[in-house]
Amino acid sequence: MRVAQVTPYFLPHNGGMEMYVYNLSKNLINEGHTVEVITANVPEGRSVEVMDGILVRRLKCLGEPLRNPLVPSIFLLLNELKKFDVIHIHNVYSFTALSFPILKKFCKIPIVLTHHGQLMFGEPMKDLCVRIYEKSARGVVLNSVDTAVALSDSDARQISQQNGGTAADRSPSGHPRNVVTIPNGYDDGKFRPMDTRECKEALGLPPDRKMILNVGRLYGAVKGHEYLIEAMSRIVKKRKDVLCVIVGPGRLYDTLDRQIRSLGLEEYVVLAGGKPHDEIPLWLNACDLFVLPSLSEGNPTVMFEAFGCGKPFVGTRVGGVPEIVTSDDYGLLVDPANPDDLAEKVLTALDREWDREAILACSEQYTWENITREIVGVYDQVLR
């Protein structure tokens, strides 16, 4: 099968969607399929290259309003797109997704779209633009694809509510018949248990501190970093043997650094900056607890990666997170934007003896090998 993966961003631009497309593409190739990734040339690099066996075509980007690369040259690829059996688009909130209702009329190729969660910036004007898009153009995109893949039932329900339709258009689950739920996945070859003390030593971290880890770009309030830092001001009043490490680059670095200093948390909260993705398994294995304080999520890759390393999880009840953390055997849930609740659950988690084997057992169903098989099933269905 020949599959085009069309995504606004791809590696080395780093994020959950980029890793999703990378891992899916690699596993499709491992199963004998032919894959080409078509993306924006951001950050600028070679227009065509092979990355870990994946052919990547990068299109000229004219700008990135609301983190949305504008790549009108995709309309010049009509004859190229016709050679594929399936076109798989990523992120409904993108220029590339918006272009495909037009391109499909000429390509006549089955189109699958993965909906990577609700877009939220945590900034009023930007979020208003997103809501306007949702009420206008997003439905056109979703109704033009053969199948939409939602990462969570929460997202599938949201698609259903916004797109309307009759009862005959819906499956027994209540979702539109062209919407299926397939969760995110993780690379179990990279994200696997390692010795915590050895990982702390390799990263130069103090061995006698309980390490709380967060991994996420510092690009907007939506990731909830300010609430994690606020929660740490409460946590250190109860115990001093803690260290919170936030890994990720972004424009909020200075803002968060000022917050840390204003709360006198310099000895307890560290902004580690961006790290290569290949180094993230070390950080996850070095921690005692992984925390995700987001205000909005789809089905975050790093949550599955933490589970793959056998680490307990404290996260907010947003998006697909509660659908995965269904037992307190491997994680605790908190209300978003609530530093008191977050502090309480972190303290509870740090005091508890966790069953690593139960956490690893939970993670096994989310390996990319298993997720890829489900997505190939979707491809087969649209081809039939």
Side-chain angles (χ1 to χ4, degrees), residues 201-222:
E201 183 178 347
L203 295 170
L205 297 168
D208 56 343
R209 305 275 289 275
K210 290 285 188 179
M211 180 178 161
I212 301 159
L213 178 68
N214 170 266
V215 178
R217 289 179 293 173
L218 316 181
Y219 65 79
V222 68

Side-chain angles (χ1 to χ4, degrees), residues 100-108:
F100 266 87
I102 301 171
L103 290 172
K104 186 180 179 182
K105 293 182 180 180
F106 298 97
C107 297
K108 302 189 185 305

Side-chain angles (χ1 to χ4, degrees), residues 120-178:
M120 178 179 174
F121 291 93
E123 301 173 32
M125 288 306 298
K126 290 182 178 180
D127 287 338
L128 176 62
C129 292
V130 172
R131 302 292 87 81
I132 292 171
Y133 175 85
E134 287 179 342
K135 291 181 179 297
S136 54
R138 193 180 78 158
V140 176
V141 175
L142 289 169
N143 288 326
S144 71
V145 303
D146 295 274
T147 296
V149 177
L151 298 184
S152 67
D153 282 332
S154 170
D155 283 340
R157 285 193 297 270
Q158 204 258 5
I159 292 172
S160 177
Q161 291 166 2
Q162 292 198 355
N163 284 18
T166 65
D169 299 324
R170 303 190 186 284
S171 66
S173 66
H175 304 158
R177 291 189 181 277
N178 70 332

Side-chain angles (χ1 to χ4, degrees), residues 8 68-75 91-100:
N68 177 19
L70 300 180
V71 284
S73 57
I74 196 166
F75 288 102
N91 191 2
V92 71
Y93 302 97
S94 68
F95 173 84
T96 50
L98 194 56
S99 68
F100 266 87

Side-chain angles (χ1 to χ4, degrees), residues 229-241:
I229 295 169
E230 186 66 35
M232 284 301 299
S233 69
R234 293 152 170 76
I235 291 167
V236 298
K237 292 176 181 177
K238 301 287 186 178
R239 56 188 301 169
K240 304 293 186 183
D241 62 335

Side-chain angles (χ1 to χ4, degrees), residues 114-370:
T114 292
H115 180 49
H116 288 267
Q118 310 309 308
L119 182 60
M120 178 179 174
F121 291 93
E123 301 173 32
M125 288 306 298
K126 290 182 178 180
D127 287 338
L128 176 62
C129 292
V130 172
R131 302 292 87 81
I132 292 171
Y133 175 85
E134 287 179 342
K135 291 181 179 297
S136 54
R138 193 180 78 158
V140 176
V141 175
L142 289 169
N143 288 326
S144 71
V145 303
D146 295 274
T147 296
V149 177
L151 298 184
S152 67
D153 282 332
S154 170
D155 283 340
R157 285 193 297 270
Q158 204 258 5
I159 292 172
S160 177
Q161 291 166 2
Q162 292 198 355
N163 284 18
T166 65
D169 299 324
R170 303 190 186 284
S171 66
S173 66
H175 304 158
R177 291 189 181 277
N178 70 332
V179 178
V180 298
T181 299
I182 301 176
N184 209 334
Y186 78 100
D187 183 347
D188 59 330
K190 290 182 179 178
F191 294 90
R192 51 185 175 76
M194 293 184 275
D195 185 87
T196 298
R197 182 171 288 273
E198 289 179 4
C199 291
K200 283 183 176 179
E201 183 178 347
L203 295 170
L205 297 168
D208 56 343
R209 305 275 289 275
K210 290 285 188 179
M211 180 178 161
I212 301 159
L213 178 68
N214 170 266
V215 178
R217 289 179 293 173
L218 316 181
Y219 65 79
V222 68
K223 289 299 180 181
H225 292 109
E226 64 177 293
Y227 299 104
L228 175 56
I229 295 169
E230 186 66 35
M232 284 301 299
S233 69
R234 293 152 170 76
I235 291 167
V236 298
K237 292 176 181 177
K238 301 287 186 178
R239 56 188 301 169
K240 304 293 186 183
D241 62 335
V242 291
L243 177 66
C244 177
V245 179
I246 299 173
V247 172
R251 59 185 178 83
L252 291 184
Y253 185 98
D254 290 341
T255 300
L256 296 176
D257 184 59
R258 285 193 294 271
Q259 182 187 5
I260 292 166
R261 294 179 183 280
S262 69
L263 293 171
L265 295 173
E266 296 95 323
E267 293 183 19
Y268 301 100
V269 182
V270 173
L271 298 177
K275 302 295 177 185
H277 191 259
D278 286 347
E279 192 178 294
I280 301 302
L282 270 180
W283 290 92
L284 283 170
N285 276 286
C287 80
D288 298 280
L289 176 68
F290 186 82
V291 177
L292 194 70
S294 305
L295 307 184
S296 176
E297 285 286 354
N299 225 332
T301 303
V302 71
M303 173 177 65
F304 298 101
E305 292 170 344
F307 286 151
C309 295
K311 298 300 177 178
F313 173 90
V314 172
T316 45
R317 296 182 183 90
V318 295
V321 174
E323 298 170 26
I324 304 302
V325 186
T326 56
S327 167
D328 60 8
D329 287 339
Y330 39 87
L332 302 175
L333 296 175
V334 304
D335 293 329
N338 188 332
D340 290 322
D341 192 18
L342 184 57
E344 179 185 339
K345 294 299 195 305
V346 167
L347 287 166
T348 298
L350 290 175
D351 286 337
R352 184 171 162 187
E353 289 293 328
W354 293 89
D355 183 349
R356 188 172 74 167
E357 295 308 312
I359 296 171
L360 292 173
C362 166
S363 74
E364 288 175 1
Q365 60 191 305
Y366 304 111
T367 65
W368 263 111
E369 184 177 1
N370 290 330

